[in-house]
Amino acid sequence: MIPYGKQDINQADIDSVVSVLKSDFLTQGPQTPAFEKYVSDYCGASSAVAVNSATSALHIACLALGLGKGDWMWTSPNTFVASANCGLYCGANVDFVDIDPKTYNLCAEELEKKLIQARKDNNLPKLVIPVHFAGQSCNMKKISSLSKEYGFSVIEDASHAIGGRYRGKSIGCCQYSDITVFSFHPVKIITTAEGGLATTNDPSLAVKMKSLRNHGITRDVSLMVSASEGDWYYEQLALGFNYRMTELQGALGLSQMKRLDEFVARRHECQEYYDELLCDVSVVTPFQSPDSYSSLHLYPILLDQGQVNKSREQVFKELRASGIGVNVHYIPVHMQPYYKDRGFKKGDFPKSENYYKSVISIPLFQSLTKQMQDEVVETLGRILE
Ligand SMILES: *Cc1c(COP(=O)(O)O)cnc(C)c1O
């Protein structure tokens, strides 16, 4: 089976993890801070806070921005559930903004419409989380200008997008947001097995997130309420969590970062070859915005349902049966039973629902060969015939 995504681990990655195992620190040592420094320098942000998953990063990012009970948080329905759940963890209300049918990203024009209505209804969001779907940036310029006009904070969920750029700058530079979050799950662009990271240019947000990932504890004397009682002394100032990244993960992440540009370039080669091969197949290939250099986490194709007389389910089944490990990104979050129980229903976000009906992600990863791509497209062509 050719999987839809796959990590790329080399000897240098293995050596870096083994050397941590032989060192004095398995956690809270020098590797994770070195990884953070590398990522913040790469992205051009002043701080980075590494944690044990992007889900944790989203949670503490929401808390650091003050999201709480009674507040509204909005995100895209076309995402993994974690982008929405983080709002619920904080006790906030979650709502969605439908997608742009061209980029499959949260639509900035829909956002504006919904903000105009929310201002009338007096329920403006405190926080909006645009998701850079498949590695392509949302229209951050417009979202950022709306954030100033309507007074909400912005977290970029860039779980798919490390190594990508928007208007010439690295995703994660936070030019148009308060915080950007990355995921290092093995199907993403680089991996630390499990892991996530938040970048920001606001030192106070970085301090808050560093405290929240470590039980709300500080060892910084200047932040303490009382005088230090000795070198052992620390103070818990907030209710935090254990969301720390281990040294094994930090070392792996640091080693992987050194190949990030190569990884993304390789994904672009694969994308260009798919675009070429799929010219004569009746599917819609993913649109690439000129504002964005996508990290190409996914290659989602839309079946042209006027042309094809098989259902998406049937095509998916036949592809899997032929050894092509396809997947579907995403079931709209508001259609999940948990969210339906919270009042959402079919028809609430029709563009995401329509997109979901015909989308299939075909394999895309660094070590995907031309022969494998030929096989994917030949199989697809045969099934759609
Ligand atoms: C993978 C993913 C997450 C969650 O990442 P974890 O590191 O697995 O917690 C969040 N948002 C999006 C868009 C993702 O794809």
Side-chain angles (χ1 to χ4, degrees):
M1 176 84 81
I2 304 173
Y4 88 88
K6 188 182 170 191
Q7 70 271 23
D8 187 324
I9 300 292
N10 71 4
Q11 194 57 46
D13 295 329
I14 295 167
D15 292 345
S16 69
V17 173
V18 170
S19 74
V20 170
L21 281 168
K22 294 176 179 167
S23 77
D24 290 336
F25 295 101
L26 299 185
T27 190
Q28 294 176 287
Q31 296 292 330
T32 296
F35 174 49
E36 291 173 332
K37 171 91 172 55
Y38 197 102
V39 177
S40 58
D41 287 350
Y42 178 93
C43 294
S46 63
S47 311
V49 181
V51 288
N52 58 356
S53 71
T55 304
S56 303
L58 286 166
H59 184 195
I60 61 174
C62 288
L63 289 174
L65 287 165
L67 189 72
K69 211 171 155 54
D71 293 331
W72 283 93
M73 185 279 267
W74 295 356
T75 188
S76 170
N78 183 32
T79 186
F80 185 56
V81 293
S83 316
N85 288 346
C86 58
L88 299 180
Y89 295 159
C90 301
N93 303 303
V94 169
D95 201 356
F96 301 91
V97 179
D98 212 351
I99 59 168
D100 173 344
K102 201 162 175 185
T103 61
Y104 321 140
N105 274 330
L106 181 149
C107 175
E109 286 70 30
E110 289 278 339
L111 173 62
E112 185 167 24
K113 272 196 239 158
K114 199 174 168 99
L115 286 165
I116 292 167
Q117 188 58 43
R119 180 172 269 166
K120 288 184 193 147
D121 299 342
N122 203 25
N123 56 7
L124 280 168
K126 182 170 182 106
L127 175 62
V128 174
I129 306 186
V131 181
H132 302 321
F133 179 74
Q136 173 160 260
S137 178
C138 297
N139 182 354
M140 291 310 298
K141 216 172 157 209
K142 169 119 184 157
I143 293 170
S144 165
S145 87
L146 290 170
S147 80
K148 294 190 180 94
E149 193 179 340
Y150 289 88
F152 57 84
S153 303
V154 178
I155 299 172
E156 296 172 67
D157 183 344
S159 290
H160 299 181
I162 197 163
R165 291 198 291 272
Y166 174 66
R167 293 178 155 264
K169 288 196 178 167
S170 292
I171 296 202
C173 72
C174 298
Q175 184 180 356
Y176 298 107
S177 64
D178 299 282
I179 297 172
T180 301
V181 166
F182 297 120
S183 172
F184 309 123
H185 183 280
V187 297
K188 309 289 164 71
I189 311 291
I190 65 159
T191 189
T192 61
E194 296 282 357
L197 181 142
T199 57
T200 182
N201 291 320
D202 180 337
S204 75
L205 290 175
V207 167
K208 280 184 194 157
M209 290 192 285
K210 283 182 179 171
S211 160
L212 286 165
R213 78 169 159 191
N214 193 30
H215 309 279
I217 282 171
T218 186
R219 288 178 186 275
D220 180 344
V221 185
S222 70
L223 300 173
M224 288 181 186
V225 173
S226 310
S228 172
E229 295 170 10
D231 282 351
W232 70 86
Y233 189 73
Y234 56 83
E235 285 185 350
Q236 184 192 341
L237 299 172
L239 184 61
F241 312 89
N242 179 354
Y243 282 170
R244 294 186 304 259
M245 174 175 272
T246 69
E247 285 289 282
L248 302 168
Q249 293 168 308
L252 181 55
L254 187 56
S255 179
Q256 288 258 300
M257 274 306 286
K258 294 177 181 155
R259 289 192 291 149
L260 173 58
D261 289 343
E262 194 188 302
F263 285 176
V264 175
R266 188 73 254 292
R267 286 172 177 272
H268 275 261
E269 283 174 15
C270 295
Q271 178 238 336
E272 280 159 27
Y273 193 50
Y274 268 146
D275 284 355
E276 195 183 306
L277 291 175
L278 286 165
C279 260
D280 317 318
V281 182
S282 48
V283 297
V284 179
T285 56
F287 167 76
Q288 301 298 322
S289 156
D291 275 349
S292 173
Y293 175 74
S294 174
S295 58
L296 291 168
H297 167 51
L298 299 170
Y299 193 97
I301 55 170
L302 297 186
L303 302 183
D304 184 343
Q305 299 202 308
Q307 295 276 325
V308 179
N309 50 21
K310 281 181 186 167
S311 67
R312 188 271 308 272
E313 189 193 2
Q314 186 62 27
V315 174
F316 183 95
K317 223 157 87 183
E318 291 184 31
L319 279 164
R320 281 267 180 107
S322 313
I324 311 299
V326 285
N327 215 323
V328 169
H329 301 92
Y330 284 99
I331 306 163
V333 177
H334 70 283
M335 298 299 285
Q336 293 292 347
Y338 189 84
Y339 282 85
K340 281 188 170 164
D341 286 350
R342 271 146 197 80
F344 294 100
K345 58 187 188 309
K346 196 172 167 176
D348 282 349
F349 304 98
K351 289 177 187 132
S352 315
E353 294 168 31
N354 267 337
Y355 157 85
Y356 167 63
K357 276 188 213 150
S358 56
V359 74
I360 295 182
S361 295
I362 59 176
L364 181 60
F365 49 88
Q366 278 94 246
S367 54
L368 188 70
T369 62
K370 274 196 158 180
Q371 288 86 332
M372 290 178 193
Q373 291 189 271
D374 289 336
E375 187 185 333
V376 170
V377 175
E378 270 163 34
T379 310
L380 182 66
R382 186 159 39 76
I383 291 168
L384 296 180
E385 196 88 320

